[in-house]
Amino acid sequence: METRPSCPICQHSMKSQLEPWLQHCTSCDLWVSSLSPSADLTSNNSDLLQENQRRDALKYLRQANFRTIFDILNRFLPIRNKKILDVGCAYGWFLEIATAKGAIATGVEPETEVANLGKQQGWDIRLGYFPDCLGEEEKFHAIAFNDAFEHFPDCHQVLKQCHQFLIPGGFLILNLPNSNGFFYRLASLLAKLGIKKPLHRLWQKDYPSPHLFYFNASNLHKLATQHGFYLLHSQSLPTLHLSGLWSRLRMDKRTSRLTAAFLYLAILFVYPILSILAPADILLQIYQKQE
């Protein structure tokens, strides 16, 4: 008899769905992949990605969402002169906004080329992995994971480490893809019909750092509370913006201009409906460390 893996959150048995490398928990609705990250992200891993397109694709939406995050965080933590860590900080956009608001901001980024672009802007970015590139005694008032938490293979270990590096009463910011979002549900439906590419793209299959988890608000809350974090705020964030959309569709070198043009026109047509009625694909949850 085949032994099914256990869900890392609720310990319910999981089963393979949609793809052989995908496991789904029918109890808490967690999705887990067995995709393998690149052995060394600090080297150049741009075979599939056009770096300039990726930067242009993400900048406007990420910066807008980061401003929203700081507006919410400021309700609980006046951030001026507070130490904030951004794990997977990429080009340093979160650090830029934090610094402008008076925070003492530090980033961690494993991709050399991306980290160097941020360093050139003057941001404090440690090249490497969380928490290996931090000092054992360093403490932060807030730790943020912006589209990064779902890339770590051991979600329990990461939360234990966050608890260690946060001051008493410190804050944890989790900003990540939502399995209850419109595009994930649509991609899952298409995969059942044999159209797998949208699902592969959402999981970043064949990318240097694929997604290893897809959470929703409920199972993420259940996970965080197991490690001494209390939920303060939960909401969705915008998934798409027309600014940068073309670059987003073209950043994967395997996507032809014709395919990108078709997708661009399709999204342009449904964008007004999606922005109002469709469940968003980005989840934001802010937690406070409990002793």
Side-chain angles (χ1 to χ4, degrees), residues 240-253:
L240 283 175
H241 196 279
L242 296 182
S243 178
L245 177 59
W246 176 251
S247 294
R248 191 168 185 174
L249 294 171
R250 289 286 292 149
M251 68 183 190
D252 189 322
K253 294 178 180 179

Side-chain angles (χ1 to χ4, degrees), residues 32 42-43 72-73 113 121 143 155 163 166 184 202 220-221 228 234 253 268 289:
V32 181
T42 60
S43 61
I72 297 166
L73 179 62
E113 182 178 354
Q121 301 301 313
I143 298 177
C155 53
H163 208 275
L166 283 170
Y184 191 83
L202 288 181
L220 184 62
H221 174 244
S234 180
K253 294 178 180 179
L268 195 65
K289 173 182 172 179

Side-chain angles (χ1 to χ4, degrees), residues 125-175:
I125 297 177
R126 318 276 180 88
L127 180 62
Y129 295 91
F130 173 83
D132 300 341
C133 55
L134 300 177
E136 291 185 6
E137 303 303 318
E138 286 192 88
K139 296 290 183 181
F140 299 90
H141 295 86
I143 298 177
F145 290 79
N146 293 300
D147 292 289
F149 185 74
E150 67 277 12
H151 294 276
F152 284 83
D154 190 339
C155 53
H156 288 285
Q157 182 65 17
V158 173
L159 289 176
K160 289 178 184 177
Q161 292 163 339
C162 288
H163 208 275
Q164 173 189 344
F165 284 95
L166 283 170
I167 66 165
F171 296 85
L172 174 65
I173 302 161
L174 299 177
N175 164 23

Side-chain angles (χ1 to χ4, degrees), residues 70-83:
F70 279 111
D71 287 343
I72 297 166
L73 179 62
N74 205 53
R75 302 176 196 170
F76 309 107
L77 175 72
I79 65 171
R80 181 166 294 277
N81 296 323
K82 301 299 192 301
K83 295 183 67 176

Side-chain angles (χ1 to χ4, degrees), residues 1 4 28 31 33 41-42 49 61 68 74 84 91 108-109 113 162 164 174 198-199 203 218 230 236 261 268 278 280:
M1 182 176 179
R4 292 180 176 178
C28 73
W31 289 86
S33 84
L41 286 178
T42 60
L49 298 174
L61 180 64
T68 298
N74 205 53
I84 295 180
Y91 310 100
V108 171
E109 174 54 49
E113 182 178 354
C162 288
Q164 173 189 344
L174 299 177
L199 185 72
W203 279 96
S218 176
Y230 173 78
S236 61
L268 195 65

Side-chain angles (χ1 to χ4, degrees), residues 27-146:
S27 177
C28 73
D29 200 26
L30 178 70
W31 289 86
V32 181
S33 84
S34 58
L35 297 173
S36 299
S38 171
D40 183 14
L41 286 178
T42 60
S43 61
N44 187 353
N45 286 290
S46 60
D47 290 344
L48 294 176
L49 298 174
Q50 302 186 76
E51 191 56 47
N52 289 338
Q53 297 278 20
R54 179 167 69 151
R55 186 171 62 251
D56 293 343
L58 299 175
K59 185 173 184 178
Y60 183 91
L61 180 64
R62 291 280 176 89
Q63 288 184 327
N65 284 345
F66 292 163
R67 292 188 187 95
T68 298
I69 291 171
F70 279 111
D71 287 343
I72 297 166
L73 179 62
N74 205 53
R75 302 176 196 170
F76 309 107
L77 175 72
I79 65 171
R80 181 166 294 277
N81 296 323
K82 301 299 192 301
K83 295 183 67 176
I84 295 180
L85 178 70
D86 184 21
V87 179
C89 67
Y91 310 100
W93 297 327
F94 193 84
L95 308 180
E96 178 181 8
I97 296 172
T99 302
K101 292 181 177 292
I104 304 166
T106 300
V108 171
E109 174 54 49
E111 290 190 51
T112 304
E113 182 178 354
V114 173
N116 286 339
L117 288 171
K119 286 183 176 182
Q120 290 169 14
Q121 301 301 313
W123 312 128
D124 176 17
I125 297 177
R126 318 276 180 88
L127 180 62
Y129 295 91
F130 173 83
D132 300 341
C133 55
L134 300 177
E136 291 185 6
E137 303 303 318
E138 286 192 88
K139 296 290 183 181
F140 299 90
H141 295 86
I143 298 177
F145 290 79
N146 293 300

